[in-house]
């Protein structure tokens, strides 16, 4: 036991020493603290320059404008993952009904947890919307906002039950429809500039940079909003599937104990 | 420096102490429930209290840009932590008790005594 910890400590210390040596003497992270030419281009152009995305948030500009196609395909990877998990859990109509039927008394947590959850869920909705819709002004954006949004149904599932969520109208089908609307929105916002002679995923030609002197950063706010919607409800659909009780699945699959 | 600075700094120091004792308790306490108690001391005393301290510090610092925004955000975050953390540890303790996952040897059991005498 002692020898093992000693070996671990030696390995960690050696690694730390090597990294320090590399950073100090080999200058693996470039020279000095200056901004490199590419970074300088983005910093100068994201808000002020000729190739402006009209957003002071450089990262959002890079993500959804300068390297938009890249982000589009990253988003596609995420949605393929969601589709994959939906396929694993696919059920016939009768099985869907069986899964949706509530048990006689679904297990819920205590009133303390439930009441706090009510307050927190409202806060999460507000904060996630703020993260997503301020994505072109402050750090954050569609994906981050959507991930924060997905925590709200997760909390409801934990404190109340999956059946409560479905009883209030957010079931798997609705989540999938909302997610498709989000995807469609992203595709439309990407393709619309083609109509007026622009390029695919171009920011400025038809989307206004400001509405009534409020900076909205051209197409960035639309991308952020639709990504917010799609990611949030995509996660919710998966959470709903994961929270199906194990007994029901065993019954459906015909597993004997 | 104003009085707000001293109160805020004091709250942050209290927070650091609470964090330290919370971590110590988490490592040294004998079973799940008291360890959960130590963890909650670390969250309430070590996160909520310093956040209120930061809010007071920001209010007292005249040179700071956006000091009202910083103070407001810290205060709201403190309130959220104050609200969510006890509910979270309550849910954990409740779940552990319901599932009978934790060996439970009470030294003092007032609830059991009351139940027995009824």
């Amino acid at each position: 036991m002692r020898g093992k910890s000693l070996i671990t400590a030696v390995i960690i210390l050696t690694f730390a020493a090597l990294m320090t040596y590399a950073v100090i003497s080999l200058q693996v992270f470039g020279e000095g603290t200056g901004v490199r030419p590419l970074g300088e281009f983005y910093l100068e152009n994201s808000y002020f320059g000729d190739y402006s995305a009209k957003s002071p948030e450089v990262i959002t500009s890079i993500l959804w404008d300068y390297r938009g196609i890249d982000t589009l395909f990253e988003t596609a990877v995420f949605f393929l993952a969601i589709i994959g998990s939906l396929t694993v859990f696919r059920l016939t109509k009768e099985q869907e009904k069986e899964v949706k039927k509530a048990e006689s008394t679904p297990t819920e947590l205590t009133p303390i947890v439930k009441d706090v959850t009510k307050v927190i869920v409202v806060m999460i909705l507000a904060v996630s919307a703020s993260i997503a819709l301020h994505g072109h002004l402050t750090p954050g954006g569609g994906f981050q906002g959507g991930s924060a949004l997905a925590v709200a149904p997760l909390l409801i599932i934990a404190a109340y039950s999956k059946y409560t969520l479905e009883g209030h109208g957010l079931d798997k089908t609705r989540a999938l429809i909302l997610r498709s609307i989000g995807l469609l929105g992203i595709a439309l916002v990407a393709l619309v500039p083609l109509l007026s002679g622009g390029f695919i995923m171009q920011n400025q030609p038809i989307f206004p940079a400001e509405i009534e002197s409020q900076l909205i950063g051209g197409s960035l706010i639309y991308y952020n909003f639709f990504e917010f919607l799609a990611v949030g409800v995509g996660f919710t659909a998966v959470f709903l599937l994961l929270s199906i009780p194990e007994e029901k699945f065993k019954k459906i699959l015909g597993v004997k104990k | 420096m104003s009085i707000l600075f001293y109160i805020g700094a004091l709250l942050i120091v209290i927070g650091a102490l609470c964090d330290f004792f919370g971590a110590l308790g988490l490592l040294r306490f004998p079973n799940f429930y008291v360890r959960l108690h130590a963890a909650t001391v670390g969250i309430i005393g070590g996160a909520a209290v310093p956040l209120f301290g930061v809010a007071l510090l920001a209010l007292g610092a005249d040179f700071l840009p956006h000091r009202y925004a910083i103070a407001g955000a810290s205060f709201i975050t403190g309130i959220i932590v104050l609200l969510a953390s006890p509910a979270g540890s309550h849910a954990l303790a409740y779940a552990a008790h319901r599932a009978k996952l934790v060996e439970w040897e009470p030294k003092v059991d007032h609830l059991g005594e009351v139940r027995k005498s009824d």
Side-chain angles (χ1 to χ4, degrees), chain A residues 8 25 39 47 58 74 93 95 97 106 127 130 147 150 152-153 165 170 199 215-216 218 241 244 256:
Chain A
T8 317
S25 71
Y47 188 54
V58 182
E74 271 175 26
K93 281 223 169 100
Q95 288 168 339
K97 239 178 241 166
V127 168
S130 148
S147 315
L165 199 61
L170 187 63
F199 296 102
L215 188 70
I216 61 165
L241 287 174
I244 297 171
K256 280 174 194 162

Side-chain angles (χ1 to χ4, degrees), chain A residues 146-164:
Chain A
S147 315
L149 176 70
V151 178
L154 193 60
L155 274 182
I156 295 178
I157 289 172
Y160 290 80
S161 73
K162 157 180 149 47
Y163 308 109
T164 314

Side-chain angles (χ1 to χ4, degrees), chain A residues 109-110 112-113 116 119-120 123, chain B residues 80 83-84 87 90-91 94 98:
Chain A
L109 285 175
T110 55
I112 298 173
V113 181
V116 172
V119 179
I120 299 272
M123 286 178 175
Chain B
I80 292 174
L83 207 67
H90 166 77
Y94 176 76
R98 274 287 296 266

Side-chain angles (χ1 to χ4, degrees), chain B residues 18-40:
Chain B
C18 284
D19 256 340
F20 175 71
F21 289 120
L24 209 64
L26 200 62
L27 286 172
R28 302 297 301 173
F29 276 167
N31 71 40
F32 172 78
Y33 294 112
V34 270
R35 259 182 245 151
L36 191 62
H37 159 69
T40 315

Side-chain angles (χ1 to χ4, degrees), chain A residues 101-152:
Chain A
K101 218 180 343 169
E103 300 156 35
S104 51
T105 49
T107 328
E108 296 182 352
L109 285 175
T110 55
I112 298 173
V113 181
K114 285 202 276 188
D115 286 347
V116 172
T117 306
K118 274 182 206 162
V119 179
I120 299 272
V121 160
V122 176
M123 286 178 175
I124 288 174
L125 294 183
V127 168
S128 63
S130 148
I131 294 172
L133 298 179
H134 284 177
H136 57 292
L137 299 176
T138 53
F143 202 99
Q144 288 82 346
S147 315
L149 176 70
V151 178

Side-chain angles (χ1 to χ4, degrees), chain A residues 13 53 63 172 219:
Chain A
L13 284 178
L63 272 180
K172 199 192 77 184
S219 59

